Amino acid sequence: MGLLFMGGGLDVDDIRFQKNIRKLKKERWFKELSDNAIYYDRIFHDEVVREYLLQDNIVGKIKNDEQERYKLISLIKSSS
């Protein structure tokens, strides 16, 4: 695991982001969004979406709170 941090590899935020994405892809609604090329690009390249997904405990909030889920969907769909 230490090798990931050497030579310009992934940083802690990248690892957290990827981990949160993997967890969210288990949710059907998120998988459908991320399978869409336009939304995929926004999920992985929009700074606002990325910052939102880097919050502490955000995956649990999104899974358990409908308002959080709609907030994420709105961020993805409205980002440019």
Side-chain angles (χ1 to χ4, degrees):
M1 182 124 168
L3 295 176
L4 290 175
F5 297 100
M6 296 176 59
L10 299 173
D11 67 18
V12 175
D13 283 346
D14 290 332
I15 293 168
R16 181 188 303 167
F17 179 77
Q18 292 296 331
K19 189 176 177 183
N20 286 346
I21 293 293
R22 276 195 306 274
K23 289 178 185 177
L24 285 170
K25 279 192 172 185
K26 294 177 183 176
E27 301 294 313
R28 193 181 106 245
W29 61 269
F30 186 82
K31 178 139 178 47
E32 289 173 3
L33 275 176
S34 66
D35 285 347
N36 178 305
I38 293 169
Y39 297 141
Y40 176 91
D41 188 55
R42 291 176 182 174
I43 291 167
F44 285 91
H45 300 290
D46 186 88
E47 194 61 34
V48 174
V49 174
R50 181 179 174 81
E51 288 300 317
Y52 179 79
L53 290 173
L54 285 173
Q55 295 178 67
D56 290 336
N57 304 314
I58 194 61
V59 174
K61 291 177 187 176
I62 292 168
K63 286 180 165 184
N64 297 317
D65 185 342
E66 202 169 309
Q67 282 186 312
E68 287 292 335
R69 184 174 24 236
Y70 286 132
K71 182 176 180 177
L72 174 59
I73 292 169
S74 177
L75 284 173
I76 293 168
K77 288 186 174 184
S78 66
S79 65
S80 53

